[in-house]
Amino acid sequence: MTTTKVTERASVLRCDNPGMMTLEGTNTWILREGSGRAVVIDPGPDDEAHISAVVEAAGEVGLVLFTHRHFDHTDALSRMVDLTGAPTRATDPEFCRNAGPLVDGEVIDVDGLQIEVLATPGHTNDSTCFMIGAEASLFSGDTILGRGTTIVAHPDGVLGPYLDSLAHIRELIEEGLVSRILPGHGPVIDDPAAVVDFYLEHRAERLDQVRAAVEAGAVTPREVVERVYSDVDEMLWPAADLSVAAQLTYLKDNN
């Protein structure tokens, strides 16, 4: 496993857990200011080889952060605590050890490294991004992927808040506060405005398709999937069911 330096403060170590939902694998981010202690974002699944590589690359760890609760980001929690003794923090208190849950807008300082917490619910209700203002970098977890689009899976995923989160990130880009996105899966995004615009357009198109399917007589999520996702591998239909359920809920609430 190779650690790749991406910015002055951030390096990435990709877990060897490729898949339909994880792309090439989970990106574990290692951040530090100068010679200070490291901050690890999303140490990944319970994969001993990956965890050992992260600990070796990070050196002294001052804090472990999680972008959201999914196992491919969080299952290394206990092992990371055992190996480093570092506190862990997330929006969901379940993933906090020796520290409190994250608060939207707070600024975390670890040996001069300042990280701003940005609540971005939608992919899951606890989804959180992290910003390093000094280099206009946004660590997006699964809110925005390095390739393709993410899933908003009912009931933990909720489309209305997700669209609001994307709009908020778009505002930060327009204000010059975000110039690159470092995702939980896939490559770094150096043109974040174009990607966020694509995400927003994609969601609008899907909503139009789901609305049309309902008007044509579809009632259940699977009936909508059979119409809207007919060109998609049926192996992905169970995930599409959950995504459509979130879209149907959104359309019902915004009728």
Side-chain angles (χ1 to χ4, degrees):
M1 295 183 181
T2 303
T3 305
T4 303
K5 190 171 182 62
V6 177
T7 74
E8 179 183 346
R9 297 169 178 82
S11 298
V12 66
L13 190 62
R14 188 178 69 215
C15 184
D16 185 19
N17 62 329
M20 289 186 295
M21 297 300 181
T22 57
L23 304 182
E24 297 92 341
T26 300
N27 291 333
T28 296
W29 294 97
I30 301 171
L31 320 178
R32 61 164 38 88
E33 187 73 37
S35 60
R37 292 173 296 167
V39 173
V40 175
I41 297 178
D42 290 346
D46 189 11
D47 181 305
E48 188 63 31
H50 180 69
I51 295 169
S52 296
V54 169
V55 171
E56 181 178 357
E60 186 178 3
V61 178
L63 180 64
V64 178
L65 297 172
F66 297 102
T67 59
H68 65 294
R69 62 172 59 92
H70 285 162
F71 75 92
D72 57 308
H73 298 257
T74 61
D75 272 6
L77 186 156
S78 295
R79 190 67 177 133
M80 284 293 294
V81 171
D82 290 343
L83 291 173
T84 69
T88 70
R89 298 189 68 191
T91 294
D92 186 340
E94 179 181 347
F95 301 99
C96 297
R97 301 291 186 274
N98 302 314
L102 298 167
V103 177
D104 183 33
E106 75 170 297
V107 177
I108 300 167
D109 189 309
V110 177
D111 297 346
L113 176 68
Q114 293 196 328
I115 303 170
E116 183 175 349
V117 177
L118 179 66
T120 52
H123 172 68
T124 59
N125 63 25
D126 69 326
S127 286
T128 308
C129 292
F130 302 104
M131 288 198 303
I132 298 182
E135 56 185 38
S137 292
L138 179 77
F139 298 86
S140 63
D142 286 6
T143 296
I144 298 172
L145 303 180
R147 187 178 67 257
T149 57
T150 197
I151 187 171
V152 177
H154 180 81
D156 193 20
V158 184
L159 187 55
Y162 183 67
L163 295 175
D164 291 341
S165 294
L166 290 178
H168 188 187
I169 293 171
R170 189 65 175 87
E171 291 173 358
L172 295 172
I173 294 168
E174 290 175 356
E175 294 167 5
L177 299 176
V178 171
S179 62
R180 72 172 63 83
I181 295 176
L182 301 94
H185 304 280
V188 172
I189 297 167
D190 291 316
D191 188 2
V195 171
V196 174
D197 287 346
F198 168 72
Y199 265 57
L200 290 167
E201 291 165 4
H202 171 74
R203 290 296 166 186
E205 290 172 359
R206 279 294 190 220
L207 281 171
D208 286 343
Q209 292 170 338
V210 171
R211 189 181 292 110
V214 171
E215 290 173 353
V219 176
T220 66
R222 176 49 59 95
E223 289 171 348
V224 173
V225 168
E226 289 173 352
R227 293 173 181 264
V228 174
Y229 292 83
S230 59
D231 60 338
V232 173
D233 190 326
E234 290 189 22
M235 288 182 61
L236 297 174
W237 279 16
D241 285 340
L242 299 177
S243 180
V244 166
Q247 293 173 83
L248 290 172
T249 300
Y250 176 84
L251 290 173
K252 180 181 178 182
D253 293 344
N254 292 272
N255 225 345

